[in-house]
Amino acid sequence: MILSIESSCDDSSIAITRISDAKLLFHKKISQEINHSKYGGVVPELAARLHAIALPNILEECKKYFQDLKAVAVTNEPGLSVTLVEGVCMAKALSISLDIPLLPINHLKGHIYSLFIDNPKTVFPMGVLLVSGGHTQLLHVESYEKIEVLATTLDDSFGESFDKVAKMLRLGYPGGPVVEECAKNGDEKRFDFTVPLLRTPKLAFSYSGLKNQVRLAIEENPEAKNDICASFQNIATKHLLHKLKKVLQVKKFDNFAIVGGASANKYLRSEIEDLCKKQNMTLHVADLQFCSDNAAMIGRCAIEAYNLGKFANLDEIEINPRTNF
Ligand code: KG4
Ligand code: ZN
C-alpha cells in the first residue's frame, strides 16, 4: 500500500491506496474553506497552521495500515510553499520512522490521475483540460512522463476568476460553487462581456480582462448579482471552448477529460460534453468528490511513480511552488 499526503493549498488530506489494483482503502480530507472564507481567498500562513493540526489527526486513523506500507507519497509541487512543507515534513518523518521510500508527486499530475481512482487502468493518450484555482491548461497526455502543454493562461486561471468575481460580489470563498449557484437564477445574455483573446490566433487563455469587465458591471449595476454571475460564467466558458476548438482543428483525440476543482462546474461540463459528442471524443471526468484537491488522486498517481521507481532521497525532495509540467 501507499500512504499519500496532500497539503498544497487549503485541503489537508491523506489516503491509503493498494498498489496491486489501485483500490482506495482509506481517504479523508479536512477542508479549510470556512476558515478562509471571510478573507475572500486562502491565507497561506493560516492554511499552514491548520494543516499542522489536521494532518496528524488524520494520520492517527491510518495507523492500522502502517505495517503494510511500501512507500509514502506527497505533493511537493506546485502549491503554496508554506503549506507544501507541512505535508513534505510529515512524509519525511514517516519515511524515516517506517523505513519506506519517498515518492514526490506533482499536484497537476495528481489531478490527471483523479480520473483513475479505484481503477487500475488508465486511458492514454488523451486531451486534458485542467481547470483549477492555480491553473488553466490544455494538455496532451501520453503517459505519466510524457505530457505536452498545448495552451496555458497568460494571467489568472479559470477557477481563480470565479474566486475573484465572488470576492467582488462579496459572496465568500471559494467562488466557483457560489457563482455557479447564483448563475442558475441569472440572465446570461444581460451583460455583453467580450470573449478574451477572440481575435488573436494565439493558443492561450486570459481571464484578467474579463474580471475587469465584471468589476465595471458590478460598479454600474450593484443589484444585478445573478445576471452578472450568469453572463460571466457564460463568457468564461465560451473562452475555454473557443480555444479548445482551435486546438482540435490541428490535434485529434479519441479521449478527452476535464480535471481540477473547476471541472465540478456543471455548466462547463455540459458544454464540453456537447463538444465531445460533436467531435466523436469520449469524455472522462472524475467523480465529483475527487475534482477538488484530495490525497486519493495523489495516491493513484503515486502508483505509477512507484512502478516507474521515481523515489527521492530525503535530501533530494524539493518544494517547488511554481513548477509546471
Ligand atoms: O483543484 P482545486 O481544488 O485547487 C487547486 O489546485 O487550485 O481547485 C479549486 C478551484 C477554486 O478556484 C474554486 O473556485 C474552483 O476550483 N471551483 C469552481 C467550482 N468548484 C470549484 N469553479 C467553477 N465552478 C465550480 N463549480
Ligand atoms: Zn488542485
Side-chain angles (χ1 to χ4, degrees):
M1 295 168 197
I2 292 176
L3 182 144
S4 54
I5 306 169
E6 160 63 36
S7 68
S8 66
C9 191
D10 60 340
D11 293 295
S12 316
S13 183
I14 299 181
I16 306 281
T17 310
R18 193 157 61 201
I19 298 167
S20 59
D21 58 359
K23 181 137 190 62
L24 182 62
L25 301 171
F26 171 89
H27 178 233
K28 187 157 181 182
K29 155 167 155 167
I30 298 176
S31 174
Q32 309 171 357
E33 281 170 3
I34 26 168
N35 305 91
H36 299 284
S37 184
K38 61 174 176 263
Y39 304 107
V42 176
V43 181
E45 289 74 14
L46 173 60
R49 253 184 285 141
L50 294 170
H51 283 308
I53 299 165
L55 286 174
N57 281 340
I58 305 176
L59 193 66
E60 275 297 316
E61 297 180 43
C62 301
K63 280 193 171 158
K64 65 175 179 192
Y65 299 105
F66 278 10
Q67 67 204 40
D68 297 310
L69 294 180
K70 291 278 179 279
V72 53
V74 62
T75 304
N76 70 315
E77 61 181 18
L80 301 168
S81 50
V82 290
T83 64
L84 286 167
V85 79
E86 295 295 329
V88 168
C89 283
M90 174 175 268
K92 285 184 175 182
L94 285 169
S95 168
I96 296 168
S97 58
L98 300 176
D99 196 20
I100 50 173
L102 263 176
L103 291 165
I105 301 293
N106 178 299
H107 180 81
L108 308 177
K109 275 191 193 175
H111 274 301
I112 297 170
Y113 281 87
S114 68
L115 299 165
F116 312 119
I117 290 169
D118 249 336
N119 175 1
K121 293 206 178 76
T122 54
V123 189
F124 299 135
M126 163 188 269
V128 176
L129 179 63
L130 168 67
V131 275
S132 69
H135 293 81
T136 306
Q137 295 197 320
L138 193 51
L139 307 166
H140 178 194
V141 184
E142 292 188 68
S143 66
Y144 178 87
E145 301 196 88
K146 200 154 179 231
I147 300 175
E148 183 191 359
V149 180
L150 303 173
T152 191
T153 182
L154 304 173
D155 40 61
D156 292 349
S157 76
F158 182 77
E160 187 181 9
S161 69
F162 278 71
D163 295 333
K164 289 185 173 169
V165 167
K167 190 172 182 180
M168 290 188 282
L169 287 167
R170 298 183 206 284
L171 297 172
Y173 171 87
V178 59
V179 168
E180 182 179 8
E181 204 46 44
C182 290
K184 282 186 192 154
N185 304 312
D187 172 9
E188 67 178 30
K189 300 265 181 301
R190 170 149 174 213
F191 293 95
D192 195 14
F193 300 136
T194 31
V195 178
L197 307 182
L198 193 59
R199 284 178 221 303
T200 144
K202 208 177 170 86
L203 294 179
F205 305 105
S206 167
Y207 283 97
S208 64
L210 177 58
K211 176 187 69 189
N212 259 330
Q213 293 181 61
V214 172
R215 184 176 55 77
L216 294 173
I218 296 171
E219 275 170 25
E220 286 166 21
N221 308 272
E223 86 305 336
K225 185 179 71 179
N226 292 346
D227 295 343
I228 288 173
C229 286
S231 305
F232 157 74
Q233 180 176 256
N234 173 32
I235 298 302
T237 307
K238 273 214 168 78
H239 175 38
L240 283 182
L241 269 284
H242 171 237
K243 292 299 177 188
L244 176 53
K245 281 180 197 159
K246 284 248 175 276
V247 169
L248 293 176
Q249 284 169 2
V250 289
K251 206 111 190 161
K252 294 284 165 232
F253 298 111
D254 293 330
N255 291 289
F256 193 79
I258 25 175
V259 300
S263 71
N265 185 292
K266 301 232 171 49
Y267 186 88
L268 171 65
R269 278 191 177 206
S270 98
E271 294 288 311
I272 299 269
E273 237 167 63
D274 288 350
L275 179 71
C276 285
K277 269 190 207 133
K278 283 187 196 132
Q279 302 252 0
N280 245 337
M281 298 188 294
T282 306
L283 177 64
H284 304 263
V285 286
D287 200 286
L288 271 184
Q289 62 170 321
F290 299 126
C291 287
S292 58
D293 295 348
N294 64 84
M297 69 186 196
I298 302 303
R300 178 62 187 87
C301 186
I303 293 180
E304 307 292 315
Y306 182 88
N307 289 332
L308 290 166
K310 301 275 177 195
F311 305 107
N313 289 328
L314 281 179
D315 52 355
E316 271 172 8
I317 185 165
E318 278 181 20
I319 288 164
N320 299 312
R322 291 192 187 279
T323 337
N324 240 309
F325 288 115

